[in-house]
Amino acid sequence: MKFVLANWGTRGEVEPFAALGRELVRRGHDVHLVVAPEMVGFAESAGPQAVAFGPSLSVADEAHHEYWKLFFSKPWKLQELNRLLREFSAPLNEYRGQVEQTLLSVADGTDLLLTGMNYEDVASNVAEYCGTPLATLQIFPLRSNGFEMPFLPAPLCRAAMTALDWLAWRGHKAEDDAQRSSLGLPKATGHWTQRIAAGKAMEIQAYDEVCYPGLADEWSHWNNQDIPERPFVGALTMQLPAAGDAEIASWINAGTAPIFFSFGSMPVDAAADTIAMIAGACAQLGERALVGAGWSDFSSVPAYDHVKIVGAMNYAEILPACRAVVHHGGAGTTNAGLRAGRPTLITWMLPDQGCWGSRLKKLKVGTGRRFVATTEQTLVTDLRTILTPEYADRAKQLAARMIKPADSVALAADLVEKFALSRRG
């Protein structure tokens, strides 16, 4: 069979698609990954053919983060917020036509088009035009539910997510209408997620059901068929070895288990101040720090005897040897830390990351705080909270209930094969 897996985004958003694509290639299928330009090399390393679509990640990245930083600190600055919103949304909108043409070039005759959150509306229109079966893959509960925002009562959470969906649709309605018209499709009367649901698309939930107690029951009517429409498969990861794994393991083994820190693809404005904050907090607690550089440049920061800064690593190998994990709250890093059975502190920058922080607090395996509100003293306080034996025990118990990485990938591949075969007509 032929599969097209398309999602524009950073490594954490692309790796679940690459992991699934690698497994489908192993099973003998023809697989195309469609990703942001910077991710083509990574996607091809997984085995599938890879095609670029959308703008460079860098053109929208800074404005996107500045928008949310301002939104959570000074939400009354509407003029500046609107400027930043236009600044990061403009390049995404400008590339809608290119995204459409790229997907059209690979989707016709495909057994299944699998898409993610970014450009989901364009992909759904292309699938409808081509008559191609559509599925989606979500790395957190994206559809309206009562659990994504643990800090809100369930009814209010559902209402908030429904309102956000409506705002997103209204914001893209003109572009959506224009695209559908150019494809000869009827004018839409509602959000594209409604069209996706009405078309009985499979919406794979690539995170663990145990992290959202009660969500499976709320969505049970989606999964009471022979082929479930919203199956939970657990996080999809490739668990790739890295060149520095042996050196990192050697450093860990030479002393006490460290606390792992990472900011992933999130920008760290003051690198030296951030490392000084980490070094100071760990010195107060008598801990060592292992810092994953991610996309940040820490090359010119001062050295500390109890702090080691490293590049890429295999989380599955390194995180179980750490005492706790502190990071930005990306879905991939969050799930890697939870699977390692380690308590977590999320220093978040974006809304979905904040929701992960609240989710871990609800599960009593971690806590969260905005990165810009984090100081050396708050870091000490939060680390003292999660380094207790109670948090460590609960984190280990949760890890034991999570789906194993290999099982997650195999389950997701089984489901997309079964779904694609069911739509052959």
Side-chain angles (χ1 to χ4, degrees):
M1 288 189 286
K2 181 181 178 182
F3 295 92
V4 173
L5 316 180
N7 195 34
W8 184 90
T10 60
R11 165 73 179 263
E13 293 164 304
V14 170
E15 181 159 350
F17 290 76
L20 176 57
R22 182 175 67 174
E23 175 62 16
L24 291 171
V25 168
R26 191 191 67 79
R27 296 184 182 197
H29 300 297
D30 179 8
V31 182
H32 281 75
L33 281 171
V34 189
V35 296
E38 294 94 325
M39 292 291 106
V40 169
F42 168 69
E44 288 179 336
S45 71
Q49 302 175 66
V51 178
F53 78 153
S56 167
L57 294 170
S58 61
V59 301
D61 188 60
E62 183 176 350
H64 183 233
H65 290 100
E66 287 300 316
Y67 173 85
W68 288 112
K69 184 189 295 185
L70 186 65
F71 181 89
F72 286 115
S73 60
K74 299 175 182 177
W76 59 87
K77 291 200 169 186
L78 299 180
Q79 186 174 356
E80 181 67 7
L81 284 170
N82 286 333
R83 182 189 68 79
L84 290 168
L85 180 61
R86 290 192 299 270
E87 193 173 320
F88 79 73
S89 62
L92 298 177
N93 288 331
E94 289 170 6
Y95 272 79
R96 286 176 64 89
Q98 186 257 19
V99 169
E100 174 192 313
Q101 291 304 311
T102 302
L103 292 177
L104 283 170
S105 71
V106 294
D108 194 24
T110 294
D111 290 285
L112 183 69
L113 171 58
L114 179 74
T115 189
M117 176 176 66
N118 300 314
Y119 289 120
E120 183 182 59
D121 55 333
V122 180
S124 67
N125 288 335
V126 167
E128 185 178 344
Y129 171 78
C130 294
T132 300
L134 178 72
T136 67
L137 189 152
Q138 294 151 24
I139 57 178
F140 60 89
L142 187 60
R143 303 302 186 230
S144 178
N145 66 83
F147 298 91
E148 170 58 6
M149 306 175 190
F151 47 87
L152 294 178
L156 188 55
C157 178
R158 293 187 199 97
M161 295 189 74
T162 300
L164 289 171
D165 272 353
W166 185 85
L167 288 172
W169 176 60
R170 293 302 302 179
H172 288 287
K173 189 176 186 306
E175 294 88 349
D176 191 32
D177 286 345
Q179 185 194 25
R180 291 182 66 81
S181 176
S182 70
L183 292 172
L185 299 173
K187 191 173 182 178
T189 58
H191 196 285
W192 59 86
T193 60
Q194 297 172 356
R195 304 197 295 268
I196 289 172
K200 301 293 184 182
M202 175 179 285
E203 302 187 81
I204 296 171
Q205 308 302 304
Y207 51 90
D208 265 86
E209 177 186 337
V210 297
C211 293
Y212 292 86
L215 180 57
D217 292 335
E218 180 174 323
W219 283 353
S220 60
H221 62 288
W222 299 101
N223 293 327
N224 56 12
Q225 305 90 351
D226 180 47
I227 301 179
E229 292 177 28
R230 290 188 182 174
F232 295 86
V233 302
L236 303 178
T237 177
M238 298 172 68
Q239 297 186 293
L240 295 174
D245 286 345
E247 180 191 349
I248 296 170
S250 177
W251 180 83
I252 291 174
N253 293 334
T256 58
I259 299 170
F260 174 71
F261 295 82
S262 176
F263 305 99
S265 60
M266 298 297 102
V268 176
D269 297 330
D273 291 344
T274 298
I275 296 301
M277 176 181 69
I278 290 171
C282 288
Q284 286 192 53
L285 296 170
E287 302 285 349
R288 296 196 302 161
L290 176 67
V291 181
W295 287 17
S296 299
D297 181 7
F298 293 128
S299 59
S300 60
V301 303
Y304 299 88
D305 290 340
H306 62 299
V307 177
K308 184 175 180 62
I309 301 173
V310 298
M313 69 178 70
N314 183 356
Y315 283 165
E317 292 293 328
I318 301 302
L319 294 191
C322 298
R323 283 200 67 191
V325 292
V326 181
H327 59 85
H328 60 296
T333 314
T334 300
N335 282 289
L338 293 178
R339 276 176 166 159
R342 296 298 177 259
T344 300
L345 166 61
I346 289 179
T347 54
W348 58 274
M349 302 181 194
L350 302 180
D352 59 299
Q353 300 166 356
C355 288
W356 272 116
S358 295
R359 170 55 44 196
L360 300 194
K361 188 173 183 178
K362 187 87 169 180
L363 294 169
K364 297 182 179 180
V365 296
T367 190
R369 188 183 297 272
R370 283 176 59 219
F371 177 75
V372 296
T374 300
T375 65
E376 181 176 320
Q377 198 50 54
T378 67
L379 186 55
V380 168
T381 300
D382 291 336
L383 287 174
R384 281 183 173 144
T385 297
I386 67 170
L387 290 173
T388 61
E390 293 80 9
Y391 273 81
D393 289 343
R394 285 192 294 265
K396 290 176 183 176
Q397 292 167 14
L398 180 67
R401 298 170 58 204
M402 295 177 73
I403 304 172
K404 299 294 184 289
D407 295 338
S408 291
V409 173
L411 176 57
D414 289 345
L415 285 166
V416 298
E417 286 178 332
K418 188 174 182 180
F419 180 71
L421 287 171
S422 75
R423 293 302 181 96
R424 281 187 167 177

